[in-house]
Amino acid sequence: MTRLFSFLSSAVLLCLFSPAMAEGIARPAEHAGGTLHLAAQSSPGTTDPQVSYFMAMYQVEAVVYDGLTTFTKGPGPLSRHAIADLAESIPQPQDDGHTWIFHLRRNIRFSNGKLLSPDDVVASMRRIFRVNSPTAGPYYSNIVGGAECLKDPDHCTLENGVIADNQAWTVTFHLTRPDAEFADRLAFNHAVILPADTPAHDTGNSAPPGTGPYRIVSYDPSSSMRLERNTHFRQWDAAAQPAGYPDRIEYRFGSDPESSVTAIENGQYDWMAENIPLDRLAELGSRFADRVHIVDFLNLYYAALNVNIPPFNSLKVREALNYAVNRHAMVIHNGGPAVAAPSCQMLPEGSPGFEPVCYWTRGADPQHPALRWEAPDMEKAKQLVRESGTAGQKVTVITAQQPEYMAMANELRSTLAELGYDASVRSMVQAVQFGYIQNSDNRVQISLTGWNADYPAASSYLRTLLACDMFHPHSDNSINISGYCDPDTDRLMDRAADLSVTDRNAGDRLWAEADRRFMAQVPTVPLVQVRWVMPLSARVKGDVSAPVYQVVFSRFQIR
């Protein structure tokens, strides 16, 4: 353990004090050109940017598509807000926060050569509802007409909510109530702007045209993806959308993490989607420390508990598992304390609204909270299981096949077995598992998953993952995997959002209260927050990290 900690500490210093970090976004240099080689264990799902909700595809789409706003594609603080992208600037809201008027940049073309127009913006916002985008409800239903579009997406018009003016080259949004996060929501990939004639259904393996520096020219989920330059792209803002160094990006699927690390060491791949297997950390630290970067980002690994079926429809059982789980072991499974920390609440540290509190640790409860997780309380957990009368029931943990997921899932299985359940683990490739655990028809009791912030906001965790309107029975796009609904807490989150318009600090205090309410009812088991350990090949030059995206492929300079 000492050697592991020493290696990771060195890597942290290399990342924090590297010259590339100090320079910020890389400037054009002699290293433009070449092919960037990426590796992943499995494909990242649909290429439709308004449907995809998988981090690996989000990273690809960041260099293919643009929204009216975006997040800086370079290093910087975790708490950051949107900047202008296809819009010339982020406007000051009018009409007491109900009206936003965006002026579009001119002479921007999609990769098919079509000129971007205000009509494309209107059509793209309408399409969010028509394709049943996972965030249509929590992020965009505040647009006038959005609530009706949720009820009848096939006939969604947003006629009075999003208005194009092709003479002034503007798009006007009318909201039902002020929204302090509206510019940030528009920066998320579900609000990217597509050609108006893009089909109103999930395009699957056929990527729609975008306005970014690259275009997806081929995609076979069983083997590979290929990106090439968008010849119609002309850089308008290097912070919003850098022109890009590589001429081509080759993404190969089917490489397990062990093989990917070796291939990166040998220069066959330049980057891998998965985290480094634990048994390779010391090797990388001793031989390739200058090629390992640590990336901070808002994230959380957690277990979603189905509150609508046994045994987790019992509050006592949910409390028991939260008391019993060994979060220290979860830290070890994710690389140790230098790159992981135990989590006891649904807001990760660093998020707006985060206030440290832990109900489910030895010596604590909702009436006597601790500031942080200290140790499991198996005795109290077993007592709660006995009181619930559920011991002996079969419980299956559904997990992705990545090594860190498998290690954590087996830890959960062992904990459940010690509590008296007939526990087992079932694994799937992540692209399949993520949709499977969302669909209530599959009657998943407990699932292991992770969440990266869509943007730096408390709502990105609490509202997105646990609000009533995020539970959609019989759907693979039901990100409230627990099926949890508490209208009172939803109203509290609405008040937090409204208050944040005029007083962000006061709003954050209400978000912290909502976090405590959720954890008192424990529809989930928060486990661990991690830092990303990212090895790069010797061919890569420059700092390619960015907190929201973790990594920006267009900024890889290939030697």
Side-chain angles (χ1 to χ4, degrees), residues 180-501:
E181 298 175 13
F182 188 59
D184 293 333
R185 301 186 201 279
L186 292 177
F188 188 55
N189 68 312
H190 289 163
V192 299
I193 307 307
L194 305 173
D197 59 358
T198 303
H201 59 75
D202 186 346
T203 60
N205 299 343
S206 300
T211 53
Y214 296 92
R215 62 190 182 97
I216 299 173
V217 296
S218 66
Y219 179 47
D220 180 348
S222 66
S223 60
S224 64
M225 175 188 294
R226 181 182 177 90
L227 288 80
E228 295 180 353
R229 288 191 181 276
N230 169 12
T231 57
H232 297 283
F233 178 84
R234 300 294 182 270
Q235 180 175 287
W236 55 82
D237 186 326
Q241 190 62 280
Y245 289 101
D247 288 333
R248 293 166 297 279
I249 301 174
E250 297 279 356
Y251 209 151
R252 297 290 178 180
F253 314 129
S255 177
D256 65 87
E258 290 280 355
S259 300
S260 294
V261 170
T262 301
I264 289 173
E265 290 176 347
N266 296 334
Q268 296 163 293
Y269 290 130
D270 300 306
W271 177 89
M272 59 187 285
E274 290 75 31
N275 215 337
I276 300 172
L278 297 186
D279 62 346
R280 305 298 293 275
L281 287 174
E283 168 196 341
L284 285 166
S286 61
R287 298 179 54 201
F288 304 102
D290 61 331
R291 289 161 47 185
V292 177
H293 297 261
I294 306 294
V295 181
D296 286 308
F297 63 108
L298 295 178
N299 69 93
L300 179 73
Y301 283 117
Y302 69 101
L305 308 178
N306 191 331
V307 302
N308 298 310
I309 63 175
F312 299 111
N313 57 348
S314 165
L315 176 60
K316 290 181 182 288
V317 176
R318 301 199 300 271
E319 291 175 342
L321 184 54
N322 268 275
Y323 271 127
V325 69
N326 188 340
R327 291 174 171 86
H328 175 68
M330 299 299 182
V331 168
I332 299 303
H333 292 318
N334 284 277
V339 292
S343 295
C344 202
Q345 54 197 108
M346 285 302 289
L347 280 182
E349 186 169 358
S351 169
F354 173 81
E355 292 181 3
V357 66
C358 186
Y359 299 152
W360 313 113
T361 185
R362 183 180 297 168
D365 59 41
Q367 288 72 46
H368 307 90
L371 285 178
R372 62 186 62 83
W373 185 84
E374 298 291 347
D377 192 335
M378 186 59 71
E379 182 179 347
K380 191 167 186 176
K382 288 181 176 180
Q383 176 187 337
L384 287 165
V385 171
R386 287 193 297 270
E387 293 173 0
S388 74
T390 60
Q393 292 186 14
K394 290 186 176 182
V395 178
T396 302
V397 181
I398 306 296
T399 184
Q401 290 179 348
Q402 281 93 328
E404 69 272 18
Y405 277 101
M406 290 298 299
M408 289 189 290
N410 282 310
E411 186 74 35
L412 285 173
R413 182 200 60 76
S414 297
T415 301
L416 287 162
E418 190 172 353
L419 289 174
Y421 295 101
D422 181 4
S424 61
V425 171
R426 182 183 176 194
S427 65
M428 306 174 181
V429 296
Q430 191 168 35
V432 173
Q433 185 251 9
F434 193 54
Y436 183 87
I437 63 179
Q438 294 182 64
N439 196 319
S440 60
D441 292 344
N442 296 322
R443 296 185 64 79
V444 174
Q445 297 164 295
I446 174 173
S447 54
L448 187 61
T449 189
W451 192 253
N452 303 332
D454 294 344
Y455 55 88
S459 63
S460 187
Y461 283 88
L462 302 184
R463 181 159 181 76
T464 300
L465 300 180
L466 294 168
C468 295
D469 60 6
M470 291 304 287
F471 177 51
H472 307 290
H474 322 297
S475 170
D476 285 357
N477 287 326
S478 180
I479 200 62
N480 182 345
I481 300 167
S482 299
Y484 180 78
C485 178
D486 178 23
D488 287 341
T489 306
D490 276 15
R491 285 190 284 272
L492 175 63
M493 291 191 290
D494 288 341
R495 293 202 303 275
D498 290 342
L499 186 55
S500 295
V501 173

